[in-house]
Amino acid sequence: MNYSKNFIHNSFRLNGNSFTNFTEVLNYTAKISNDVFLFLEEWFSESNSVIIRTSGSTGKPKNIELQKEKMFNSAIATGNYFGLKAETTALLCLPINYVAGKMMLIRALTLGWSLDIVQSNANPLENVSKMYDFSAMVPLQVENSISYLDKIRKLIVGGGVVSNPLLIKLQNVSTDVFATYGMTETITHIAVKKLNNFSPLKTNFNKSNYYTTLPNVSIYIDERSCLVIKALKVSEKILFTNDVVRLISDTQFEWLGRFDNVINSGGVKLQPELIESKLVKVLEKPFFVAGISDQLLGSKLILVVEDFISNTQELKIDIINNMKSLGVFTKYEIPKEIYFLPEFKYTESGKIQRNETLSLIGF
């Protein structure tokens, strides 16, 4: 299937309504959602591209121009990979302001899905009574929807890291759940990894499963061990990321963390995401680690916990002792300071804004 302007698959349905042309789609969406209408008005315009704003979770938000043909190709790739053909029932519960929400619309238009739109909030399935073949969520939505996930047959999760406690909960749901790797520049995901419902031969879900690239995607690493992506079907440029990875094969990789988050403490390089993956065994409250300026070490490791407590000194001692007793932390991975905040700063998708949160402490 090749891209053509104003294309609408004849099986496309939106909230149960069918359409014969794009004007009917625009007239309908103008009544239900201004954000959906404005995006589709741009999609059906004569321009060959659309402007999409990034979420700002890994840097300052910015506008990116995406070619409509590349977005069309991305929709086809998702449909082929997950076997989502015409008349697939799908639920859009993500904000339409960002690429993930917009691509749910484009997939439905392109592949002929029956798409329902519900309000994007922290618990989107609470008032949903229907079953759906496919949906996409951020981790915060998945966490709050655990008891309702059986309403979705296949679910992709993006916009943040799936925590280990959430991963454990997902082993008890029937929904096939996949983590996605991608960014606005790659028009959502270029790689996925299965999070649950493994075969009996795969029992260590946390370590035996890696991201696998979609077809027509090539990957390698640069001198920083950061992922480089060549996916000409969805991006005209070779993309040099700041994601530190370990290559497993030509089509598989393990994500380790962000290069721009690496802490150089006294000459020892610390990857916050790796430390945080161990800390989930110690802390139940939201937290993150970071590096702050230090005269002796250059940067020193700190731990920031979202909790409102009075006796912080006693809890600090308990945390340090628990970390040491586990035997999985090196001496360099033990934080030099621990701070508590009653509330973190978050993005719309539920990701912690580290720098903005650190500014609340005064860093």
Side-chain angles (χ1 to χ4, degrees):
M1 186 187 300
N2 296 319
Y3 169 72
S4 62
K5 285 185 178 179
N6 301 334
F7 172 76
I8 300 174
H9 196 289
N10 57 16
S11 293
F12 170 66
R13 301 288 186 275
L14 185 58
N15 293 341
N17 298 279
S18 60
F19 311 91
T20 58
N21 56 60
F22 73 90
T23 303
E24 290 183 2
V25 177
L26 292 177
N27 289 338
Y28 174 72
T29 55
K31 299 174 185 176
I32 64 166
S33 168
N34 190 54
D35 288 337
V36 173
F37 167 74
L38 290 175
F39 168 62
L40 290 181
E41 185 179 45
E42 187 179 14
W43 176 258
F44 290 126
S45 72
E46 289 302 310
S47 174
N48 291 321
S49 61
V50 297
I51 303 299
I52 294 182
R53 191 160 181 79
T54 64
S55 65
S57 57
T58 58
K60 290 184 178 180
K62 58 184 177 180
N63 290 333
I64 292 180
E65 183 178 9
L66 297 180
Q67 298 298 310
K68 292 177 181 177
E69 182 178 4
K70 304 296 186 183
M71 297 173 74
F72 180 91
N73 291 341
S74 174
I76 297 295
T78 297
N80 289 341
Y81 187 88
F82 290 105
L84 303 170
K85 301 179 180 179
E87 300 183 2
T88 288
T89 56
L91 181 70
L92 170 53
C93 56
L94 293 171
I96 198 65
N97 310 76
Y98 303 113
V99 67
K102 295 179 193 296
M103 281 308 300
M104 285 295 288
L105 275 168
I106 301 309
R107 292 169 192 142
L109 284 165
T110 302
L111 301 170
W113 293 355
S114 179
L115 181 71
D116 288 343
I117 301 177
V118 296
Q119 184 179 359
S120 174
N121 57 34
N123 195 350
L125 298 181
E126 186 175 19
N127 297 314
V128 169
S129 57
K130 294 171 59 176
M131 285 284 297
Y132 292 93
D133 297 319
F134 185 75
S135 189
M137 294 183 186
V138 297
L140 177 65
Q141 292 175 313
V142 180
E143 180 75 52
N144 292 327
S145 301
I146 282 291
S147 59
Y148 305 108
L149 277 189
D150 58 353
K151 297 174 183 176
I152 310 293
R153 293 185 177 90
K154 288 182 181 178
L155 177 70
I156 58 174
V157 185
V161 177
V162 175
S163 68
N164 200 59
L166 177 55
L167 190 59
I168 292 171
K169 293 177 185 177
L170 290 175
Q171 305 316 302
N172 298 315
V173 302
S174 60
T175 306
D176 289 326
V177 186
F178 301 82
T180 61
Y181 174 87
M183 57 207 74
T184 305
E185 292 87 341
T186 60
I187 312 176
T188 65
H189 49 266
I190 53 89
V192 300
K193 70 173 178 178
K194 194 167 173 56
L195 296 182
N196 67 344
N197 296 339
F198 297 108
S199 68
L201 296 177
K202 272 195 173 184
T203 55
N204 191 343
F205 58 84
N206 200 31
K207 294 184 178 179
S208 65
N209 202 47
Y210 307 108
Y211 284 103
T212 300
T213 58
L214 271 61
N216 301 309
V217 175
S218 300
I219 56 172
Y220 58 96
I221 57 174
D222 62 15
E223 67 280 358
R224 305 169 300 161
S225 294
C226 289
L227 187 67
V228 183
I229 303 166
K230 183 179 180 181
L232 298 182
K233 286 277 189 180
V234 296
S235 176
E236 295 176 348
K237 300 177 181 178
I238 295 177
L239 296 171
F240 292 82
T241 75
N242 283 326
D243 290 310
V244 180
V245 303
R246 180 168 69 95
L247 284 187
I248 307 302
S249 68
D250 291 341
T251 59
Q252 288 187 312
F253 64 90
E254 179 184 13
W255 184 82
L256 301 178
R258 295 280 299 175
F259 181 79
D260 33 355
N261 288 344
V262 171
I263 302 165
N264 191 330
S265 184
V268 178
K269 291 184 178 180
L270 303 172
Q271 189 72 58
E273 292 86 352
L274 289 179
I275 299 171
E276 289 164 1
S277 69
K278 302 175 187 179
L279 272 168
V280 296
K281 299 177 181 178
V282 177
L283 295 166
E284 293 183 357
K285 300 284 188 178
F287 68 88
F288 66 93
V289 299
I292 62 171
S293 180
D294 182 79
Q295 287 187 346
L296 180 63
L297 298 171
S299 290
K300 67 178 179 181
L301 182 71
I302 66 167
L303 169 64
V304 187
V305 183
E306 187 181 56
D307 201 356
F308 186 76
I309 59 170
S310 55
N311 192 357
T312 58
Q313 189 57 39
E314 183 177 336
L315 184 54
K316 288 178 182 179
I317 294 171
D318 287 343
I319 291 172
I320 296 298
N321 288 338
N322 288 337
M323 290 180 70
K324 290 179 178 179
S325 66
L326 280 176
V328 297
F329 296 91
T330 69
K331 64 179 182 180
Y332 305 107
E333 294 175 333
I334 304 295
K336 304 297 184 185
E337 299 283 349
I338 301 177
Y339 297 88
F340 296 91
L341 285 172
E343 191 173 2
F344 285 176
K345 294 288 187 179
Y346 291 90
T347 65
E348 286 185 16
S349 61
K351 283 193 276 189
I352 298 172
Q353 294 180 306
R354 294 171 184 247
N355 292 335
E356 288 81 354
T357 301
L358 285 173
S359 69
L360 299 176
I361 308 173
F363 298 126

